[in-house]
Amino acid sequence: IIMAKKQDARAPIYNLVVVGLSGTEKEKGQCGVGKSCLCNRFVRPSADDFDLDHTSVLSTSDFGGRVVNNDHFLYWGEAGRTIEEGQECRMNVVEQTEFIDDQTFQPHRSTALQPYIKRAASTKLASAEKLMYFCTDQLGLEQDFEQKQMPEGKLIVDGFLLSVDVSRGMNRSFEDQMKFVGNLYNQLAKTKKPVVLALTKCDEGVERYIKDSHAFALAKKNLQVVETSARSNVNVDLAFLTLVQLIDKSRGKPKIIPYFEALKQQSQQIALAKDRYEWLVTRIANNHNETWPVVSRRMQTAPEYKEYVFLEGTPKAKKLFQQHVHRLKQEHIEKRRKAYLNTLPQALSVLIPELDEIDHLSWSGVQKVLETKRDFSQWFVVLDDTPWETTPHIDKMDDDRIPQDLLETPAAETIYETHLDQLRKERKRAEMRWEFKEKLSVSPFITPGKPWEEARSFIMNEDFYQWLDEAEYLDIYNKHQKEIIDRAKEDFQELLLEYSELFYELEVDAKPSKEKMGAIQEVLGEEQRFKALQKLQAERDALVLKHIHFVYHPTKDTCPNSPHCVDSKIEQILASRFPTRYASSDSARLEGGRAERINLVILGKDGLAREMANEIRALCTSDDRYVVDGKIYELTLRPIEGNVRLPVNSFHTPTFTPHGCLCLYNSKESLSYVVESLEKLRESTIGRRERENSLAQLPLSLLLVTKRGVGSIGDIGGETAQTLIQQGQQVAAKLQCTYLDPASPGKAIMDLLWLQQRIKFLHLFYKQLSRPFTVCCSSKSLSDYILLSSFFLFRKTCCSSLCRLV
């Protein structure tokens, strides 16, 4: 039968037996020589199928089971390989061993009563219904494993693989092993079957043992030696295929590869497979929350996954995946840490901007101060568990609040030290700015119009010079120059009024001659108020010409104090108090009046606020101005569509204080968002009287909008529209705000602007009536409001002309 299989060129089958030192622990030491591992790695080469633990100590029931079948040999099954030029062959692998009774620790009694050496050299094996062996766990649980029988229950042996353990075995001398191997080889040689000497455990091999083994083989002449390691899967296939080539000369001559060269090739193959697998993991798993069961299923059919698992096993593949996910998580944590630390300086600037509050405290004391701040929860979050990087907070990307326990890290303390240092430097710089300004104020050297280049030497040797840069010096100096120039011009204007007689003889609308200008300068030249503008001669001459024009044309437009002329202010007050008697023209109000600033919050959800803002801007002029009843307003719109507790969605900012709020909704959800946002806003202001007052006085309007346009309800069913209107009216009543008709969206803006206009006008009127009026700079001695009003009512001329009459 076997010869018939050999004649089948398509798939010849060779029966190979692995033998070596076996017996009790006294004879073989605490562990075997590696016969089982060698068979295991060859028949089932996948790393997941490789098992290092193959015990030979069995119970009587396991020895009698169908796998061992009361015989001292194991049938490992059939394996197929391709040798050269695509030639395939198949091999049945049998291991000759000696099973020990776990009660007596002596060899089990079997049908074959010969000692191991004679039994191992047998060329005919028979065991009816013997099952293929997988691992020790199979014994007693045969039904849980594949049940494949040894072919026809008998085999004729074609060759032997003689195993020699070259590692430092425990409780076993290498010399005793070689004596056993020598006797075993002599018995095998009698069979005339090919033998290959397989050196096992070369990954832990002792150099002297390896040399002695080669010397042993050399003495036997034609005995081939293959250095193997079942653990590292090195040269295992080579050992079996070498034996096949010795059995069948047509398979070519054996090409023995030294262990370390084969190990290098194996390591390179594993390294390449590992790189490919890691690339696959990186491509598939890009989130640190990925799990192995999910990802492994997605990789199941990928060749990179199959190759690496075959070579290294699923546990190592899982470990590499876990390392990758761990790196992703650490990168994510580090990214979040950087984001938190980048936000911390801003949080410190907002919560503790004053140096006096923290200058005397330690960092731990400052943390306690932070907890007492009313806006602490807007910048920080207190987590139930710590540290923060082990909590679910790291995955809440919409919550950028800083975990409180992060403040206890050295990095956070370093940022605080930087903040404290900046506050100290800023205080010092403020002191230096003040000192510099004081120096400018008391120095007789700094006169109106003196260039900075000439004044710079004034500060070169001062203590504050090192604290400020050139731009700050120049800014302070320019502001100081403006102050002293404006003061000098006011003083010069008073000087001109005091010498009014110098201008009486000039011709109307005529430019004074050089002689007249010289005469004027000669009269005024000795006055200090005239000398103060000596570096600003052009401005001084312009003031003289402007004064001449005022003398002959005394109107509010030519008044030296324009546009703050009292005539203009009285007109505005009387027109607001008595609009029917003293109504000013639309053009005058548009051209002469200042544009009122209106800050409007638009609260909506899912794009409603932004759409309303765009529609309002479309009604404005190019510079965001809006006209109501001839009055100009500068509109500043702030659409808000998110969490109002976040700083980015706050109603109030350092540069924006709202005058009104337009609340938009187009569904039950968006109406709930409006109500919740206003409640959150009020909750966040509890305990702050000023902010509560401002919120209570803030005009609110509620408006129903749809996708077809602001205020249009054509695309909503009648029943749905009526329901939304009723719900909106109920909410408006609860919030005590105005509910706007959906058909008139423009009324929202007009109502808010009208209310703002009324408040501002009343405020202005009572403010003006509650303080004394100062006439213009040309009539400082006349500040009586009654006299001024009477003069304005009976004489339609500039109040400043009263100076000439006096």
Side-chain angles (χ1 to χ4, degrees), residues 640-673:
I640 295 177
E641 299 184 348
N643 187 350
V644 297
R645 288 182 175 175
L646 299 179
V648 69
N649 293 322
S650 174
F651 273 39
H652 294 260
T653 71
T655 59
F656 183 93
T657 299
H659 300 135
C661 176
L662 182 59
C663 306
L664 310 177
Y665 77 102
N666 64 352
S667 64
K668 184 177 180 181
E669 292 75 15
S670 56
L671 183 60
S672 299
Y673 164 76

Side-chain angles (χ1 to χ4, degrees), residues 50-65:
F50 180 69
D51 192 353
L52 285 172
D53 185 17
H54 295 284
T55 182
S56 59
V57 179
L58 303 179
S59 65
T60 302
S61 60
D62 289 342
F63 183 75

Side-chain angles (χ1 to χ4, degrees), residues 582-719:
Y582 302 100
S584 57
S585 64
D586 290 345
S587 61
R589 280 190 287 170
L590 289 174
E591 294 175 1
R594 285 186 177 181
E596 296 287 347
R597 181 182 180 89
I598 299 295
N599 295 334
L600 180 62
V601 170
I602 303 179
L603 183 64
K605 185 181 181 183
D606 299 331
L608 290 180
R610 291 192 299 271
E611 292 175 6
M612 171 62 91
N614 292 335
E615 290 194 27
I616 294 175
R617 292 190 180 103
L619 299 175
C620 297
T621 60
S622 59
D623 54 352
D624 287 339
R625 294 194 173 199
Y626 197 98
V627 180
V628 178
D629 295 334
K631 184 67 177 179
I632 301 177
Y633 295 91
E634 289 182 353
L635 279 181
T636 301
L637 305 178
R638 181 171 175 80
I640 295 177
E641 299 184 348
N643 187 350
V644 297
R645 288 182 175 175
L646 299 179
V648 69
N649 293 322
S650 174
F651 273 39
H652 294 260
T653 71
T655 59
F656 183 93
T657 299
H659 300 135
C661 176
L662 182 59
C663 306
L664 310 177
Y665 77 102
N666 64 352
S667 64
K668 184 177 180 181
E669 292 75 15
S670 56
L671 183 60
S672 299
Y673 164 76
V674 170
V675 175
E676 292 172 1
S677 297
L678 294 177
E679 290 178 351
K680 288 179 180 178
L681 186 63
R682 286 172 176 167
E683 289 174 2
S684 66
T685 59
I686 293 177
R688 288 176 281 172
R689 184 174 302 172
E690 295 180 2
R691 189 66 61 84
E692 284 182 347
N693 291 338
S694 65
L695 180 60
Q697 296 175 0
L698 188 66
L700 302 175
S701 293
L702 186 62
L703 177 63
L704 171 64
V705 298
T706 69
K707 295 182 179 178
R708 287 179 50 184
V710 177
S712 174
I713 61 175
D715 60 342
I716 300 180
E719 182 178 353

Side-chain angles (χ1 to χ4, degrees), residues 16 27 42 100 151 176 225 266 280 289 498 624 646 759 787:
L16 310 181
E27 296 167 334
F42 180 70
I100 307 301
D176 292 342
V225 181
Q266 176 74 0
L280 177 66
N289 290 318
E498 292 174 9
D624 287 339
L646 299 179
I759 293 173
L787 178 59

Side-chain angles (χ1 to χ4, degrees), residues 57-338:
V57 179
L58 303 179
S59 65
T60 302
S61 60
D62 289 342
F63 183 75
R66 290 187 59 195
V67 174
V68 180
N69 212 25
N70 292 309
D71 292 306
H72 286 279
F73 71 88
L74 294 174
Y75 171 63
W76 278 91
E78 182 182 295
R81 293 292 189 276
T82 301
I83 300 180
E84 291 182 358
E85 300 178 357
Q87 295 182 0
E88 183 182 1
C89 64
R90 307 199 64 78
M91 291 146 280
N92 285 316
V93 178
V94 173
E95 175 193 354
Q96 284 284 5
T97 184
E98 192 157 57
F99 292 107
I100 307 301
D101 191 327
D102 61 356
Q103 298 294 324
T104 64
F105 294 99
Q106 295 298 319
H108 279 283
R109 300 186 62 180
S110 69
T111 54
L113 301 178
Q114 302 97 332
Y116 176 81
I117 291 179
K118 287 189 176 182
R119 186 171 66 246
S122 175
T123 59
K124 294 181 180 181
L125 301 176
S127 185
E129 298 184 351
K130 188 178 184 68
L131 294 179
M132 178 176 65
Y133 172 75
F134 287 93
C135 59
T136 305
D137 295 339
Q138 177 190 11
L139 304 179
L141 299 172
E142 290 83 359
Q143 68 278 5
D144 294 340
F145 293 80
E146 179 186 358
Q147 297 186 11
K148 182 177 180 181
Q149 296 184 15
M150 190 173 72
E152 301 181 9
K154 55 185 177 180
L155 294 174
I156 297 178
V157 178
D158 296 316
F160 297 93
L161 206 62
L162 178 56
S163 302
V164 176
D165 184 357
V166 294
S167 68
R168 199 178 302 276
M170 298 182 64
N171 298 335
R172 181 211 315 145
S173 70
F174 184 74
E175 290 74 15
D176 292 342
Q177 181 188 190
M178 291 309 296
K179 289 180 182 179
F180 184 92
V181 169
N183 294 331
L184 179 56
Y185 176 76
N186 292 334
Q187 194 69 28
L188 296 175
K190 295 178 181 179
T191 65
K192 306 298 183 180
K193 302 289 184 180
V195 178
V196 170
L197 189 66
L199 307 187
T200 61
K201 305 183 186 179
C202 286
D203 53 317
E204 301 175 353
V206 177
E207 185 177 359
R208 183 173 64 86
Y209 297 168
I210 296 174
K211 288 182 178 180
D212 289 350
S213 299
H214 279 279
F216 172 84
L218 187 62
K220 307 303 179 183
K221 296 184 180 180
N222 293 327
L223 183 58
Q224 295 282 358
V225 181
V226 181
E227 301 170 350
T228 70
S229 170
R231 183 197 298 269
S232 302
N233 196 14
V234 176
N235 279 346
V236 173
D237 280 10
L238 179 63
F240 284 89
L241 295 179
T242 297
L243 181 57
V244 170
Q245 289 174 319
L246 293 178
I247 296 170
D248 188 349
K249 302 297 183 180
S250 66
R251 296 289 180 177
K253 293 184 178 181
K255 296 179 181 179
I256 307 301
I257 302 176
Y259 174 78
F260 288 105
E261 181 179 341
L263 177 63
K264 182 179 179 181
Q265 294 176 2
Q266 176 74 0
S267 300
Q268 291 174 347
Q269 182 183 6
I270 292 175
L272 184 59
K274 180 181 177 183
D275 290 342
R276 292 173 178 169
Y277 171 71
E278 288 180 333
W279 170 84
L280 177 66
V281 171
T282 303
R283 185 169 60 88
I284 292 181
N286 48 24
N287 187 291
H288 65 275
N289 290 318
E290 295 278 12
T291 60
W292 172 249
V294 174
V295 174
S296 61
R297 280 197 299 269
R298 294 209 300 262
M299 296 189 297
Q300 204 74 40
T301 59
E304 296 87 357
Y305 174 81
K306 291 180 178 179
E307 180 184 19
Y308 186 73
V309 169
F310 178 83
L311 293 173
E312 290 287 82
T314 302
K316 287 190 177 181
K318 180 180 179 180
K319 183 177 180 181
L320 287 179
F321 164 79
Q322 291 173 336
Q323 290 174 352
H324 170 70
V325 170
H326 179 73
R327 284 194 299 270
L328 289 179
K329 185 171 184 178
Q330 293 305 310
E331 291 172 0
H332 176 73
I333 290 173
E334 188 59 29
K335 183 178 179 180
R336 296 288 281 172
R337 187 197 313 276
K338 289 182 179 179

